[in-house]
């Protein structure tokens, strides 16, 4: 049956090339060498790109070497022509000096592919942290129909009958080793047992968070985010995603029709409900910026008083496999829509509203997904702070433990206010070399501060703010200190750090003049963080040499430092923001 697309397929400009049969021949010719036929490419069917993020060097996304097979079958069944192509790999665990460098690099590469090749619509294969935002940033820039296919999390990890979750087990085992409770061999066993199958992090780290938010934004099919990678439903979801993207191509259902301001406000509220990663802050700001939408500190605060309803590490107890079986993101959305804190009328990739997508999808396990009106934690959102040390930073309140709250936030008459002596480190090597130095006299009334870890200073911004106390405090039962920094922390961390401080020290932020021994006052009620240093002394210190930062090691690091803005602004390539809906004008012929 012949179908008429709502907007002419851009691939026709290549394979039909009106008025330029010589160019059509040139574009067609080399595709023949792997067996495709001219009839397929000139049939008028949509060319569906499959952005392949899976590879041996990106194990979190490697499952997509399999999922795309089913996606291709779905595309063919719906009358499309699939074309798979590789993406720049992103792997948080192993990329040095930090995988944060790769989000913007992968974005640039995908923009060029989608803009310059005969692709009418695209499946974005996501998984590891930054594959989701980089893909959605590019989809907004080019603005062709796009849909997210998550690779899914690993199965739940177990070690000697105990749940061990990705990343979270690392941070908790570091403390156990410092306390003398385990040795290095046991540390390694606990860590490796947390990775029992294909897939990305099985905690609510940044990978699960960003794929959950893609679903909440309406950019993936309902239930896609949390299906474990090895489950049969993952292949079924890939097939349905392949079918749906063909329909989206005919409907001309582009990101600009889905990624609205309200959809991003929904995502902020969903982030609180699931106890998501602090890395979501710069990623959501970046995705919104490329969609032409500004996310302000006030927008973050509209989600601050909302509850935590998902009982999943690091803020809770369980892992992703059980969360999926309890109802996953659709069940959480149902709770939030019913409570009036997510707008269910927004459009999604299904062509239906968010509310229509999740109708009847309720929680089946209340140990994992709590009712909105009887949550795991009340007021569990992300607190935006400011002061003389930075214009903007963020704190994840859902991971404030009872012990931390009792120690630092419960002084009679001064609830949620604390002061501490700053211990300042210039990067993570300095921290690891000096954290146990007796000369620092670190006690329970100290605040650990790390600088030189933002987009310019690292470069790229590193997950180093979740610093643990010195060994002698851990051995005394003090498992966490207040921490502050201009870098990020792992989304799997259970540390209530103040992080993503902008501007960073390397950009002239207040952490550059902070000194060990200064008293920092943090007031969560007022949302302020200030060093109690006299203005004249601050001015004097500003005249001193800036803290050192390492030289760039590669051309991209130098370019990244030159063009990237601060985490509070999304850490985006500022010059790229003016490029929007580039697909509306097809690039000129190449010969």
């Amino acid at each position: 049956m012949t179908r008429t697309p709502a907007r002419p397929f851009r691939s026709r400009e290549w394979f039909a090339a009106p008025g330029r049969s010589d160019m059509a021949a040139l574009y067609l010719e080399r595709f023949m060498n792997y067996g495709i036929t001219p009839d397929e490419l000139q049939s008028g069917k949509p060319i569906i790109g499959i952005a392949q993020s899976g590879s041996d060097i990106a194990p979190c996304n490697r499952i997509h070497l399999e999922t795309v097979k089913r996606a291709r079958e779905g595309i063919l069944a719906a009358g499309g022509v699939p074309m798979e192509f590789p993406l720049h790999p992103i792997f948080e665990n192993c990329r040095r000096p930090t995988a944060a460098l790769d989000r913007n690099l992968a974005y640039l590469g995908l923009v060029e592919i989608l803009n310059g090749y005969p692709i009418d619509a695209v499946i974005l294969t996501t998984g590891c942290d930054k594959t989701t935002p980089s893909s959605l940033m590019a989809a907004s820039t080019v603005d062709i129909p796009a849909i997210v296919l998550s690779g899914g999390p690993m199965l739940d990890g177990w070690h000697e009958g105990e749940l061990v979750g990705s990343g979270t087990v690392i941070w908790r085992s570091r403390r156990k080793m410092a306390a003398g409770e385990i040795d290095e061999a046991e540390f390694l066993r606990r860590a490796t047992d947390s990775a029992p199958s294909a897939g990305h992090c099985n905690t609510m780290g940044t990978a699960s968070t960003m794929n959950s938010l893609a679903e909440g934004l309406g950019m993936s099919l309902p239930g896609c985010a949390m299906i474990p990678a090895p489950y049969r439903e993952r292949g079924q979801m890939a097939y349905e995603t392949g079918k749906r993207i063909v329909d989206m191509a005919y409907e001309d259902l582009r990101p600009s029709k889905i990624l609205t301001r309200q959809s991003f406000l929904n995502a902020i509220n969903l982030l609180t409900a699931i106890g998501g990663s602090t890395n979501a802050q710069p990623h959501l700001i970046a995705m919104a910026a490329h969609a032409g939408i500004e996310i302000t500190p006030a927008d973050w605060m509209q989600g601050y008083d909302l509850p935590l309803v998902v009982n999943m590490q690091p803020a809770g107890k369980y892992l992703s496999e059980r969360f999926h079986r309890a109802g996953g993101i659709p069940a959480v959305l149902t709770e939030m829509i019913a409570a009036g804190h997510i707008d269910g009328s927004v459009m999604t990739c299904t062509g239906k509203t968010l509310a229509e997508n999740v109708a009847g999808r309720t929680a089946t396990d209340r140990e994992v997904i709590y009712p909105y009106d009887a949550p795991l934690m009340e007021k569990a959102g992300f607190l935006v702070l400011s002061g003389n040390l930075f214009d903007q930073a963020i704190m994840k309140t859902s991971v404030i433990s009872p012990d931390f709250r009792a120690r630092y936030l419960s002084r009679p008459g001064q609830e949620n206010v604390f002061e501490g002596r700053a211990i300042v480190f210039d990067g993570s090597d300095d921290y690891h070399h000096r954290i146990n130095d007796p000369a620092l006299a670190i006690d329970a009334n100290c605040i650990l501060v790390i600088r030189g870890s933002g987009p310019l200073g690292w470069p790229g911004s590193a997950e180093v703010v979740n610093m643990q106390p010195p060994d002698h405090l851990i051995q005394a039962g003090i498992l966490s200190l207040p921490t502050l920094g201009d870098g990020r922390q792992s989304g799997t961390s259970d540390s209530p750090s103040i992080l993503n401080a902008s501007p960073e020290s390397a950009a002239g932020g207040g952490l550059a003049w902070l000194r060990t021994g200064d008293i920092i006052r943090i007031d969560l009620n007022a949302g302020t963080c200030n060093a109690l240093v006299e203005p004249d002394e601050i001015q004097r210190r500003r005249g001193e040499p800036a803290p050192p930062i390492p030289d760039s090691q590669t051309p991209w690091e130098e370019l990244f430092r030159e063009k990237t803005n601060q985490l509070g602004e999304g850490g985006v390539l500022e010059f790229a923001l003016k490029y929007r809906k580039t697909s509306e004008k097809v690039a000129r012929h190449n010969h």
Side-chain angles (χ1 to χ4, degrees):
M1 183 175 65
T2 302
R3 300 175 68 183
T4 302
R7 181 171 71 158
F9 292 139
R10 62 197 303 268
S11 61
R12 302 294 292 159
E13 295 293 324
W14 278 260
F15 300 133
R20 290 296 306 273
S21 59
D22 59 328
M23 293 308 304
L26 182 66
Y27 297 136
L28 284 164
E29 175 261 330
R30 202 52 54 92
F31 279 105
M32 302 303 103
N33 74 2
Y34 67 90
I36 200 167
T37 67
D39 286 347
E40 289 174 271
L41 299 181
Q42 292 190 311
S43 65
K45 296 178 180 179
I47 307 300
I48 307 297
I50 304 174
Q52 176 58 273
S53 63
S55 69
D56 289 349
I57 206 171
C60 295
N61 289 40
R62 195 178 185 279
I63 188 66
H64 284 306
L65 299 179
E66 296 300 320
T67 65
V68 299
K69 296 175 183 177
R70 289 297 286 146
R72 294 176 73 98
E73 290 165 355
I75 292 168
L76 291 167
V81 179
M83 284 194 177
E84 182 181 344
F85 58 86
L87 291 179
H88 180 82
I90 306 179
F91 179 29
E92 182 65 52
N93 294 35
C94 279
R95 171 68 155 99
R96 294 186 178 187
T98 173
L101 287 166
D102 288 335
R103 188 198 70 181
N104 291 351
L105 185 56
Y107 156 78
L108 288 175
L110 183 53
V111 166
E112 292 303 310
I113 293 169
L114 298 182
N115 193 68
Y117 284 88
I119 297 171
D120 299 307
V122 63
I123 294 177
L124 307 169
T125 64
T126 66
C128 191
D129 303 12
K130 295 157 193 68
T131 55
T132 305
S134 64
S135 294
L136 287 174
M137 288 156 59
S140 282
T141 295
V142 181
D143 202 35
I144 61 173
I147 193 169
V148 166
L149 174 62
S150 167
M154 295 182 288
L155 300 177
D156 290 357
W158 293 89
H159 177 77
E160 296 181 353
E162 176 189 357
L163 279 171
V164 285
S166 311
T168 302
V169 69
I170 301 292
W171 321 126
R172 293 176 180 175
S173 295
R174 277 184 178 176
R175 295 194 290 262
K176 286 181 176 292
M177 191 162 67
E181 297 175 12
I182 62 173
D183 58 17
E184 290 185 4
E186 173 65 5
F187 190 134
L188 181 61
R189 284 192 293 269
R190 289 169 60 86
T192 55
D193 282 353
S194 71
S197 74
H200 60 66
C201 287
N202 52 25
T203 46
M204 188 53 75
T206 310
S208 290
T209 297
M210 295 313 301
N211 286 287
S212 295
L213 296 185
E215 185 175 330
L217 285 165
M219 288 299 296
S220 63
L221 295 182
C224 179
M226 296 311 301
I227 300 170
Y231 274 30
R232 66 180 185 182
E233 289 91 343
R234 180 53 62 192
Q236 293 166 342
M237 180 61 70
Y239 179 77
E240 294 299 330
T241 299
K243 289 175 61 180
R244 179 58 197 153
I245 190 61
V246 174
D247 288 340
M248 290 176 69
Y250 278 102
E251 295 163 12
D252 193 31
L253 183 51
R254 291 174 274 155
S256 60
K257 301 175 182 179
I258 299 171
L259 296 177
T260 63
R261 176 170 173 76
Q262 186 56 56
S263 68
F264 280 101
L265 296 180
N266 281 349
I268 290 173
N269 290 355
L270 177 61
L271 179 65
T272 296
I274 63 176
S277 167
T278 50
N279 287 311
Q281 182 212 19
H283 292 331
L284 276 174
I285 292 171
M287 292 189 297
H290 282 286
I293 298 161
E294 181 183 8
I295 299 297
T296 67
D299 293 327
W300 285 96
M301 293 306 295
Q302 59 106 35
Y304 175 59
D305 286 333
L306 298 181
L308 172 69
V309 301
V310 175
N311 187 9
M312 185 170 165
Q313 295 181 24
K317 177 180 179 181
Y318 299 106
L319 297 174
S320 54
E321 188 177 2
R322 187 163 173 182
F323 177 40
H324 163 66
R325 293 166 63 182
I329 295 302
V332 178
L333 290 172
T334 295
E335 293 285 339
M336 299 295 286
I337 291 170
H341 289 292
I342 279 185
D343 183 348
S345 69
V346 296
M347 179 54 61
T348 73
C349 65
T350 65
K352 300 177 182 178
T353 67
L354 192 63
E356 289 173 323
N357 285 348
V358 302
R361 305 282 287 269
T362 57
T364 59
D365 183 348
R366 286 303 188 183
E367 289 187 71
V368 182
I369 302 174
Y370 282 53
Y372 180 88
D373 56 2
L376 181 61
M377 178 187 292
E378 296 182 354
K379 296 185 178 182
F382 290 74
L383 177 64
V384 178
L385 299 103
S386 61
N388 63 5
L389 293 174
F390 45 77
D391 294 338
Q392 180 181 332
I394 200 164
M395 182 180 188
K396 179 178 176 179
T397 64
S398 64
V399 290
I400 296 176
S401 68
D403 178 73
F404 189 94
R405 185 171 295 280
R407 189 181 302 278
Y408 298 108
L409 302 175
S410 300
R411 284 192 301 163
Q414 293 289 307
E415 289 81 4
N416 294 323
V417 179
F418 63 98
E419 294 181 2
R421 179 169 58 93
I423 308 295
V424 182
F425 300 101
D426 286 308
S428 62
D429 287 342
D430 184 33
Y431 160 76
H432 286 293
H433 290 154
R434 293 198 298 129
I435 185 60
N436 288 309
D437 185 349
L440 293 176
I442 300 175
D443 60 27
N445 296 313
C446 290
I447 298 175
L448 305 181
V449 181
I450 192 166
R451 65 189 178 194
S453 52
L456 305 182
W458 193 261
S461 79
E463 294 186 339
V464 295
V465 182
N466 49 310
M467 298 168 284
Q468 71 181 31
D471 292 356
H472 75 271
L473 288 184
I474 292 177
Q475 291 161 9
I478 299 173
L479 302 182
S480 61
L481 289 175
T483 53
L484 164 65
D486 56 12
R488 301 174 296 112
Q489 74 179 22
S490 170
T492 65
S493 171
D494 55 5
S495 171
S497 304
I498 297 170
L499 66 163
N500 300 352
S502 305
E504 63 182 297
S505 60
L511 294 183
W513 54 257
L514 189 70
R515 301 289 182 265
T516 292
D518 290 343
I519 301 300
I520 297 175
R521 178 181 173 85
I522 298 170
D523 186 339
L524 301 187
N525 301 314
T528 58
C529 176
N530 291 287
L532 304 184
V533 179
E534 292 297 324
D536 289 349
E537 174 62 10
I538 294 174
Q539 189 62 33
R540 186 193 69 79
R541 293 180 186 181
R542 287 190 181 278
E544 296 178 349
I549 61 172
D551 293 334
S552 297
Q553 289 185 291
T554 66
W556 171 240
E557 288 184 17
E558 181 175 339
L559 185 60
F560 182 96
R561 279 173 153 154
E562 178 184 338
K563 300 295 186 182
T564 302
N565 63 18
Q566 293 292 288
L567 290 177
E569 302 165 294
V572 300
L573 300 168
E574 287 192 305
F575 72 90
L577 295 179
K578 64 178 178 285
Y579 294 95
R580 300 215 38 243
K581 301 184 179 182
T582 64
S583 63
E584 292 185 350
K585 180 180 179 181
V586 177
R588 60 183 176 176
H589 289 299
N590 59 19
H591 283 74

